[in-house]
């Protein structure tokens, strides 16, 4: 282990430092293979996605056991408030109404959690775009909960995980991203996203190491 990494991890496990797990967009429209056919995932990408969702479930269980807050960030697309820049980027028509194919429309099955879900009392934040911090009270709620550093997991690595982790870091949160608890729909895209996260945003880790960090913090 490098001296830098040793210092980074030592800070996270200082007495009194409280971790939080931030779960991003593990919803049916992003995680259920039956709803992803248009993305053309290879068998290897589907297997990686399945493994990531399993690892996220393991981390949720471990966070609850360690009494670390689990924070659920979910996309809630609202037809009454179309995301116009997204309309423009994807279809060229800034003023178009929300497409019926938009993911995670509020109140639809596609917006439901997939294989993991909040329990009563856990923090939930509904977002309109990529980042869990943009236009929400997530930052304030994390501070109110007494959190000191964040583990960010979920889908997808190059999009909403990246945006949420980027904003967290810029808001002064130390961020850890476990490589095995996020995924993209293309293996090369996921690899590139992890390189970018590790360069500028987060300490990269894995599920087992994060759980050990939580245990050290509790002790």
């Amino acid at each position: 282990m490098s001296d830098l990494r040793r210092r980074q991890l030592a800070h996270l496990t200082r007495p009194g430092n409280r971790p939080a797990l931030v779960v991003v967009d593990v919803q049916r429209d992003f995680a259920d293979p039956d709803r992803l056919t248009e993305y053309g995932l290879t068998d290897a990408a589907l297997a990686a996605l399945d493994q990531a969702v399993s690892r996220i479930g393991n981390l949720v269980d471990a966070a609850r056991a360690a009494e670390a807050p689990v924070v659920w960030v979910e996309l809630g697309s609202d037809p009454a408030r179309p995301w116009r820049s997204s309309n423009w980027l994807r279809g060229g028509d800034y003023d178009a109404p929300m497409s019926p194919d938009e993911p995670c429309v509020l109140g639809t099955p596609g917006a439901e959690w997939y294989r993991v879900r909040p329990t009563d009392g856990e923090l939930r934040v509904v977002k309109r775009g990529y980042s869990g911090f943009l236009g929400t009270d997530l930052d304030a709620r994390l501070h109110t909960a007494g959190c000191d550093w964040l583990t960010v997991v979920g889908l997808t690595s190059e999009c909403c995980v990246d945006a949420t982790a980027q904003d967290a870091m810029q808001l002064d949160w130390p961020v850890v991203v476990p490589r095995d608890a996020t995924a993209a729909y293309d293996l090369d895209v996921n690899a590139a996203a992890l390189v970018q996260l590790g360069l500028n945003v987060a300490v990269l880790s894995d599920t087992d190491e994060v759980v050990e960090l939580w245990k050290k913090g509790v002790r």
Side-chain angles (χ1 to χ4, degrees):
M1 183 186 296
S2 70
D3 288 342
L4 172 59
R5 186 176 183 84
R6 188 174 291 107
R7 292 195 302 271
Q8 290 167 331
L9 300 187
H11 170 81
L12 302 182
T13 56
R14 290 191 310 181
N17 263 10
R18 191 182 197 199
L21 175 66
V22 180
V23 181
V24 180
D25 290 4
V26 189
Q27 296 163 269
R28 288 188 63 201
D29 274 346
F30 295 132
D32 185 344
D34 291 339
R35 305 180 78 89
L36 299 176
T37 53
E38 67 180 273
Y39 293 100
L41 276 72
T42 64
D43 288 345
L46 284 168
L49 177 65
D50 177 76
Q51 181 184 58
V53 173
S54 295
R55 293 289 187 269
I56 291 165
N58 294 341
L59 282 171
V60 169
D61 291 341
R64 289 168 177 163
E67 299 184 351
V70 182
V71 183
W72 300 82
V73 174
E74 57 198 291
L75 179 63
S77 300
D78 184 354
R81 297 180 64 216
W83 187 6
R84 299 193 185 281
S85 60
S86 180
N87 286 347
W88 167 80
L89 183 64
R90 287 164 175 74
D93 187 350
Y94 182 86
D95 296 313
M98 182 174 287
S99 166
D101 297 325
E102 194 74 14
C104 301
V105 174
L106 291 168
T108 67
E112 296 171 356
W113 292 98
Y114 179 74
R115 288 171 44 192
V116 292
R117 54 188 37 82
T119 61
D120 292 342
E122 290 181 336
L123 298 179
R124 294 181 66 172
V125 172
V126 179
K127 63 186 176 69
R128 180 169 172 253
Y130 295 149
S131 171
F133 290 92
L134 183 65
T136 75
D137 62 352
L138 176 56
D139 183 55
R141 294 175 77 180
L142 288 166
H143 282 293
T144 298
C147 301
D148 296 287
W149 63 280
L150 311 179
T151 298
V152 179
V153 301
L155 303 171
T156 55
S157 56
E158 87 291 356
C159 191
C160 296
V161 169
D162 177 77
T164 300
Q166 286 259 9
D167 281 354
M169 186 267 188
Q170 294 185 98
L171 288 166
D172 257 357
W173 294 100
V175 179
V176 174
V177 174
R179 297 178 185 86
D180 56 349
T182 187
Y185 302 148
D186 180 281
L187 297 183
D188 291 338
V189 169
N190 184 60
L194 290 171
V195 169
Q196 173 72 7
L197 284 162
L199 280 173
N200 298 315
V201 176
V203 168
L204 298 182
S205 183
D206 59 38
T207 296
D208 291 341
E209 184 179 49
V210 166
V211 173
E212 287 304 309
L213 292 172
W214 291 343
K215 289 179 180 177
K216 288 180 182 177
V218 169
R219 289 199 297 267

